[in-house]
Amino acid sequence: MATHKKSILTKFYIVAGFITLILFAVIFRVVNIQYFQGEKYRKLSTDLTVKEFTISANKGNVYAADGNLLATSMSKYTIRMDVVAVDGTVFEKNIAGLSKELSKMLGYSANHYQTKLRDAKKRKNRYLLIARNVGYNDYVKMKSFPIFNLGVYQGGFIAEHKTVREHPIGKIAERTIGYADFRGEAGIEGAFADFMEGENGLRWKQKIAKNQWKPISDVNEKEPIDGHDVITTIDVNIQDITHHALLRQLEYFEADHGCAVVMETATGEIKAISNLGRTSKGKYFEKRNYAVWESHEPGSTFKLASLMAVLDDKYIDTSTVVDTEKGRIYVNNRKVEDSKHGGYGEISAARVFEVSSNVGIVKLIKKHYDKQPEKFIEKLEKYGFTKPIGFQIKGEGKPYIPKPSDKAWSKISLEWMAWGYGISVTPMQTLMFYNAVANNGIMVKPRFVKELRREDKAEKVFETEIVNPRIASQETINKVRKVMENVVIKGTADNIYSPNFSMAGKTGTAKKYIPRVKNKNGEWEGGYYSTQRYVASFAGFFPAENPKYSCIVLVHDPDKKKGYYGASVAAPIFKEIAQKIYTTTPIDNQTVNQKVEYAALDTQYNAYDKIAYKTYKEVPNVEGMDGMDAVSMLENIGMKVQFSGVGKVETQSIKKGEKLIKGTTIILKLS
């Protein structure tokens, strides 16, 4: 009995000792956590219940010069549904109503959505995709749909938010407006990305029930600073005119790509820039910024630089006679030929330019610079052709002007340069040069941005930058401007002449060089100028007497069967742009000396103005109107226009007096 009691007592002491040991361990652990590791666990607790949230700054907008929005950030939502979260009775009672509302908004039938939702319910889908890229207004509307109006936990409504950049005017000028995202940095948005991003703010929030967070205080630790808005030089009206004029001609000639740029003469502000490339399906979009990026052989538009150089050095006058012979000469066994069979014979230097005689311009440059080519190159440097312009936007092409010291210089380099071959320049360089002629010899740098603004306050203003205050004497400038005007009146571009408004410029038709490369079989091919592929161009300014705008147009690889000369392919685009700007955009001082033809223009403009601003319920009579005026007016009242020919409207497919239905296509025949 004593032994048994002793055994029980022993077990009791063992258990008591064990309990005491556990008690001491617990006490030690509590003391350790409280006094030695307390800070660590208090921080961990805080981290789980209090968190720093980033307050995103609003990215700046891009605006046109007239205040139209070109690029902005917009909220987009992906809508999903947790079908499992919806009570079965609620689901059956409201599925028809939800399906009907989804059908109205998204386009598929109500049965389509009923089937989709029921199938998701059977499969217990907790993340069913309903729609992507839903705008804010539609998102708010969807929240009120049957079932969805019960919220996240009872209605299964899941909305995932993201911010995307949108171009309110669509794809027009898309490459110049640009972007700064996963694709890289391009155009204006890319150039000013740092200014537009802004600075994010910070705010502390505390975790509450149902995984929700609320601000700890009423004040942010750091307020977000919105990004700068960029105010561009683009004029939306001129941009629209330029885009559609280029697009229409590219489509007709089935060209590979093209560009058109309008620049304000005095300031260098780019008022419009359109760059369109062709897809495999024959559609056109802003593929690349060809005007800035593409360095190419300019062809005959470069003859202006050649003529101006030899005039400014006083080697010739515009009346100097040049023997173009029978339209064909050989320079070191290489043929130079005029487009006119049999040539022009003996003509003045002015006429050489007006009819774009290759033989004539080559003979002039060869005679006066063959022994001193460096002097001619110095002129081209003065004209801005030997180095990039230096835009803020990325991707500017590099020009190439050979020098006598180069290994590639040959016995024909100078002569080929005279008519725009063996060199490479960008459309923007050519435009800058032509604009300087229009601007009385003052060369200004083309620019796309007027200012950076934050909260309606201009923080940085970009002024007109003068590249060269005098590229040639005023006497020379006056002479070349006159011959450029004659190109339109009685030269290669007489097809675009109008007695109602004046234009000046130069046509260009350049054969495309096919580089020498190895084909798939390892054989060399190419290394020649194609007789099937051309670049048609026109560069100039308007009005001729007191230029307000300069403009360049290029069309690459037009269908040769339909036409390939600068006069027939590119010049009509220039005319359409100029004429529509005349009739829709005020141009200061466009009349000079009160000539009769300008009085006629005023009469025509006033008549057009009265017609254009009427409120139409019936199709108007446009027969007898100038074609471009008719197109502009009909488009302004909501009709789509197709036309053929040039000149005045001869017939219209929808007769006057018929009920006006916006969006209807009307076909005009011009004569």
Coordinates of all heavy atoms in Angstrom, one line a residue, residues 171 173-176 239 243 246 250 257-261 273-277 284-293:
K171 N -7.6 58.1 -85.9 CA -6.3 57.7 -86.4 C -5.5 58.9 -87.1 O -4.4 58.7 -87.5 CB -6.4 56.5 -87.4 CG -6.9 55.3 -86.7 CD -6.0 54.7 -85.6 CE -6.5 53.4 -85.1 NZ -5.6 52.9 -84.0
A173 N -3.2 61.8 -87.8 CA -2.0 62.3 -87.2 C -1.5 61.4 -86.1 O -0.8 61.9 -85.2 CB -2.1 63.7 -86.8
E174 N -1.9 60.1 -86.1 CA -1.6 59.3 -84.9 C -0.1 59.1 -84.7 O 0.4 59.1 -83.6 CB -2.2 57.9 -85.2 CG -2.0 56.9 -84.0 CD -2.6 55.6 -84.3 OE1 -2.6 55.1 -85.5 OE2 -3.2 55.0 -83.4
R175 N 0.7 59.0 -85.8 CA 2.2 58.8 -85.6 C 2.8 60.1 -85.0 O 3.8 60.0 -84.3 CB 2.8 58.4 -86.9 CG 2.5 57.1 -87.4 CD 3.0 56.0 -86.5 NE 4.4 56.0 -86.3 CZ 5.1 55.0 -85.7 NH1 4.5 54.0 -85.2 NH2 6.4 55.1 -85.6
T176 N 2.3 61.2 -85.3 CA 2.9 62.5 -84.8 C 2.5 62.7 -83.4 O 3.3 63.1 -82.6 CB 2.5 63.7 -85.7 OG1 3.0 63.4 -87.1 CG2 3.1 64.9 -85.2
Q239 N -5.7 69.8 -90.5 CA -5.3 68.4 -90.4 C -6.3 67.5 -91.1 O -5.9 66.5 -91.9 CB -5.2 67.9 -89.0 CG -4.8 66.5 -88.8 CD -3.3 66.2 -89.3 OE1 -2.4 66.9 -89.0 NE2 -3.2 65.1 -90.0
H243 N -5.4 65.2 -94.4 CA -5.5 63.7 -94.2 C -6.4 63.2 -95.4 O -6.0 62.2 -96.0 CB -6.1 63.4 -92.9 CG -6.4 61.9 -92.7 ND1 -5.5 61.0 -92.3 CD2 -7.6 61.3 -92.9 CE1 -6.1 59.8 -92.3 NE2 -7.4 60.0 -92.6
L246 N -4.9 63.5 -99.0 CA -3.9 62.5 -99.2 C -4.5 61.1 -99.4 O -4.1 60.4 -100.3 CB -2.8 62.5 -98.1 CG -1.7 61.5 -98.2 CD1 -0.8 61.7 -99.4 CD2 -0.9 61.5 -96.9
L250 N -4.1 58.5 -102.6 CA -3.4 57.2 -102.3 C -4.3 56.1 -102.7 O -3.8 55.1 -103.4 CB -3.0 57.1 -100.9 CG -1.9 58.0 -100.4 CD1 -1.6 57.7 -98.9 CD2 -0.6 57.8 -101.2
H257 N 2.7 54.2 -100.1 CA 2.6 55.1 -98.9 C 2.8 56.6 -99.4 O 3.2 56.8 -100.5 CB 3.6 54.8 -97.8 CG 5.0 55.0 -98.2 ND1 5.8 54.0 -98.8 CD2 5.9 56.0 -97.9 CE1 7.0 54.5 -99.0 NE2 7.1 55.7 -98.4
G258 N 2.5 57.5 -98.5 CA 2.7 58.9 -98.8 C 2.6 59.8 -97.6 O 2.2 59.3 -96.5
C259 N 2.9 61.0 -97.8 CA 2.8 62.0 -96.7 C 2.5 63.4 -97.2 O 2.8 63.7 -98.4 CB 4.1 62.0 -95.8 SG 5.6 62.7 -96.7
A260 N 1.9 64.2 -96.4 CA 1.6 65.6 -96.7 C 1.7 66.4 -95.4 O 1.3 66.0 -94.4 CB 0.2 65.7 -97.3
V261 N 2.4 67.6 -95.6 CA 2.6 68.4 -94.4 C 2.3 69.9 -94.8 O 2.7 70.3 -95.9 CB 4.1 68.4 -93.9 CG1 4.3 69.1 -92.6 CG2 4.6 66.9 -93.8
I273 N 0.0 67.3 -90.5 CA 0.9 66.3 -91.0 C 0.2 64.9 -91.1 O -0.3 64.4 -90.1 CB 2.2 66.2 -90.1 CG1 3.1 65.1 -90.6 CG2 1.8 66.0 -88.6 CD1 4.5 65.2 -89.9
S274 N 0.2 64.4 -92.3 CA -0.4 63.1 -92.5 C 0.6 62.1 -93.1 O 1.3 62.4 -94.1 CB -1.6 63.3 -93.5 OG -2.3 62.1 -93.6
N275 N 0.7 60.9 -92.5 CA 1.6 59.9 -93.0 C 0.8 58.6 -93.1 O 0.3 58.0 -92.1 CB 2.7 59.6 -92.0 CG 3.6 60.9 -91.8 OD1 4.4 61.1 -92.6 ND2 3.3 61.6 -90.7
L276 N 0.5 58.1 -94.3 CA -0.3 57.0 -94.6 C 0.4 55.9 -95.3 O 1.0 56.1 -96.4 CB -1.6 57.4 -95.3 CG -2.5 58.4 -94.6 CD1 -3.6 58.8 -95.5 CD2 -3.1 57.8 -93.3
G277 N 0.4 54.7 -94.8 CA 0.9 53.5 -95.4 C -0.1 52.5 -95.8 O -1.2 52.4 -95.1
Y284 N -5.4 52.1 -95.6 CA -4.3 53.0 -95.2 C -4.4 53.4 -93.8 O -5.5 53.6 -93.3 CB -4.3 54.2 -96.1 CG -3.9 53.9 -97.6 CD1 -4.8 53.5 -98.5 CD2 -2.6 53.9 -98.0 CE1 -4.5 53.2 -99.8 CE2 -2.2 53.6 -99.3 CZ -3.1 53.3 -100.2 OH -2.8 52.9 -101.5
F285 N -3.3 53.5 -93.1 CA -3.3 54.0 -91.7 C -1.9 54.6 -91.5 O -1.0 54.6 -92.3 CB -3.5 52.8 -90.8 CG -2.4 51.9 -90.6 CD1 -1.6 51.8 -89.4 CD2 -2.0 51.0 -91.6 CE1 -0.5 51.0 -89.3 CE2 -0.9 50.1 -91.5 CZ -0.2 50.1 -90.3
E286 N -1.8 55.2 -90.3 CA -0.6 55.9 -90.0 C 0.5 54.9 -89.6 O 0.8 54.6 -88.4 CB -0.8 56.9 -88.8 CG -1.7 58.1 -89.2 CD -0.8 59.4 -89.5 OE1 0.3 59.5 -89.0 OE2 -1.3 60.3 -90.2
K287 N 1.2 54.4 -90.6 CA 2.1 53.3 -90.4 C 3.5 53.8 -89.8 O 4.0 53.2 -88.9 CB 2.4 52.7 -91.8 CG 2.8 51.2 -91.8 CD 2.7 50.7 -93.2 CE 3.1 49.2 -93.3 NZ 3.0 48.7 -94.7
R288 N 4.0 54.9 -90.4 CA 5.2 55.5 -89.9 C 5.2 57.0 -90.2 O 4.3 57.4 -90.9 CB 6.5 54.9 -90.7 CG 6.7 53.5 -90.5 CD 8.2 53.1 -90.7 NE 9.0 53.7 -89.7 CZ 10.2 53.1 -89.3 NH1 10.7 52.1 -90.0 NH2 10.9 53.7 -88.4
N289 N 6.0 57.7 -89.5 CA 6.1 59.1 -89.7 C 7.0 59.4 -90.9 O 8.2 59.8 -90.7 CB 6.5 59.9 -88.4 CG 6.2 61.3 -88.5 OD1 6.1 61.9 -89.5 ND2 6.1 61.9 -87.3
Y290 N 6.5 59.2 -92.1 CA 7.4 59.2 -93.3 C 8.0 60.6 -93.5 O 9.1 60.8 -93.9 CB 6.6 58.9 -94.5 CG 6.0 57.5 -94.5 CD1 4.7 57.2 -94.4 CD2 6.9 56.4 -94.6 CE1 4.2 55.9 -94.3 CE2 6.4 55.1 -94.6 CZ 5.1 54.8 -94.4 OH 4.6 53.6 -94.4
A291 N 7.2 61.7 -93.1 CA 7.7 63.0 -93.4 C 8.9 63.4 -92.6 O 9.8 64.1 -93.0 CB 6.6 64.0 -93.0
V292 N 9.1 62.8 -91.4 CA 10.2 63.0 -90.5 C 11.3 62.0 -90.7 O 12.5 62.3 -90.7 CB 9.8 63.1 -89.0 CG1 11.0 63.1 -88.1 CG2 8.8 64.3 -88.8
W293 N 10.8 60.7 -90.9 CA 11.8 59.6 -90.9 C 12.4 59.2 -92.2 O 13.6 58.9 -92.3 CB 11.0 58.3 -90.4 CG 11.7 57.0 -90.6 CD1 12.8 56.5 -90.0 CD2 11.4 56.1 -91.7 NE1 13.1 55.3 -90.5 CE2 12.3 55.0 -91.5 CE3 10.4 56.0 -92.6 CZ2 12.2 53.9 -92.4 CZ3 10.3 54.9 -93.5 CH2 11.2 53.9 -93.3

